[in-house]
Amino acid sequence: MAVRPAQEARMDWGQLLLAAGAGLVGGTMNALAGGGSFATLPALIALGLPANIANATSNFALLPGAGASAWGFRDELAPVAGLSVWLLAGITFVAGLAGSMLLVLTPSDMFDVIIPWLLLFALAVMLFGRRAADWLHARVTIGRRSLIGAQSLLGVYGGYFGGGVGLMTTAIYGLLANIQPRELFAVRTLMLAIANLAAAIVFVAFAMVDWRACLPMLAGAAIGGWAGAIVGKRMSPALVRAWTLLVTAGTTLVFFLRAYG
């Protein structure tokens, strides 16, 4: 069996800078609109890590950045559609544990085909979410069960793969709770951090994290998450929406090309 390049010897300066730079970008992206793994995962694969190890390493590396972002937005946390933030956090943690165990127990190749369609759904909801939400809320009332169910699925997805989960959270919350992207910074970054924490516990326990690549990426992601929270507070809702749509569209295109190109 071939040994992964990142485990053969110490990483050189170029590899260290690539890992740290990808972490910086990924941490900033997670703070602003989500999708940080689309900066970190390709970098780790470029360093020679298998996809499942790269996914687990990316998850752990982005954890401090997600935590830093959540801390930066702590004063903006508020109930979502009448549900306590801590109830949603508990649901996310348990679901994240379940999702990460699925990654350990099953191959991740199948997600190469499924993920692009999930992200296309997220993009469609982001494009038409406000109109859909207005139409939906004029005719039906979204109950607590709907949001709890959606958060459970997001937690499982976040623990299993996590790619685009921040974008999908923004889209689904906008549809179910009629909340604008800028208003979701605080709760979304907290849910992302909790899902990452749950997955990190499982990935470390099963030795799926490549520490040589993870540590420099982790440092970059922590700085990016903190900086992204500061920048995010100063961004207008229109700019946040434009950024979110751009990241969602780019992410969707990348994963379609990766799966079918």
Side-chain angles (χ1 to χ4, degrees), residues 52 58 72-73 79 83 97 113 122 141 158 167 184 204 207 210:
N52 61 335
S58 171
F73 288 120
L83 289 176
L97 288 175
V113 176
T141 299
L167 305 174
L184 286 171
V204 171
D210 188 308

Side-chain angles (χ1 to χ4, degrees), residues 62-115:
L62 289 173
L63 175 59
S69 296
W71 179 256
F73 288 120
R74 66 190 182 282
D75 58 340
E76 298 184 16
L77 285 171
V80 178
L83 289 176
S84 163
V85 169
W86 301 114
L87 172 61
L88 293 173
I91 293 170
T92 301
F93 184 80
V94 173
L97 288 175
S100 55
M101 281 303 303
L102 284 175
L103 179 64
V104 172
L105 297 173
T106 62
S108 59
D109 293 347
M110 68 184 71
F111 279 84
D112 289 341
V113 176
I114 298 173
I115 287 171

Side-chain angles (χ1 to χ4, degrees), residues 24 39 65 68 86 101 115 125 128 130 140 155 177 188 195 206 213 247 261:
L24 179 66
W86 301 114
M101 281 303 303
I115 287 171
V125 174
F128 307 108
R130 183 59 185 269
V140 298
R188 191 199 64 234
F206 284 88
V247 172

Side-chain angles (χ1 to χ4, degrees), residues 78-231:
V80 178
L83 289 176
S84 163
V85 169
W86 301 114
L87 172 61
L88 293 173
I91 293 170
T92 301
F93 184 80
V94 173
L97 288 175
S100 55
M101 281 303 303
L102 284 175
L103 179 64
V104 172
L105 297 173
T106 62
S108 59
D109 293 347
M110 68 184 71
F111 279 84
D112 289 341
V113 176
I114 298 173
I115 287 171
W117 297 102
L118 295 175
L119 293 175
L120 184 61
F121 166 75
L123 177 59
V125 174
M126 287 303 302
L127 285 170
F128 307 108
R130 183 59 185 269
R131 292 181 182 177
D134 290 343
W135 183 90
L136 192 64
H137 284 273
R139 291 162 174 79
V140 298
T141 299
I142 299 300
R144 293 162 59 95
R145 292 182 180 178
S146 299
L147 192 54
I148 289 173
Q151 188 59 51
S152 299
L153 292 175
L154 288 168
V156 171
Y157 177 79
Y160 187 84
F161 181 77
V165 68
L167 305 174
M168 295 174 69
T169 299
T170 298
I172 291 173
Y173 273 34
L175 180 60
L176 296 183
N178 203 18
I179 303 176
Q180 292 301 300
R182 175 61 186 86
E183 300 172 28
L184 286 171
F185 274 172
V187 67
R188 191 199 64 234
T189 52
L190 179 61
M191 295 306 119
L192 179 64
I194 290 172
N196 279 8
L197 174 62
I201 292 171
V202 173
F203 295 152
V204 171
F206 284 88
M208 294 183 68
V209 177
D210 188 308
W211 295 107
R212 289 175 175 82
C214 181
L215 294 179
M217 183 169 283
L218 185 152
I223 296 171
W226 172 76
I230 295 175
V231 172

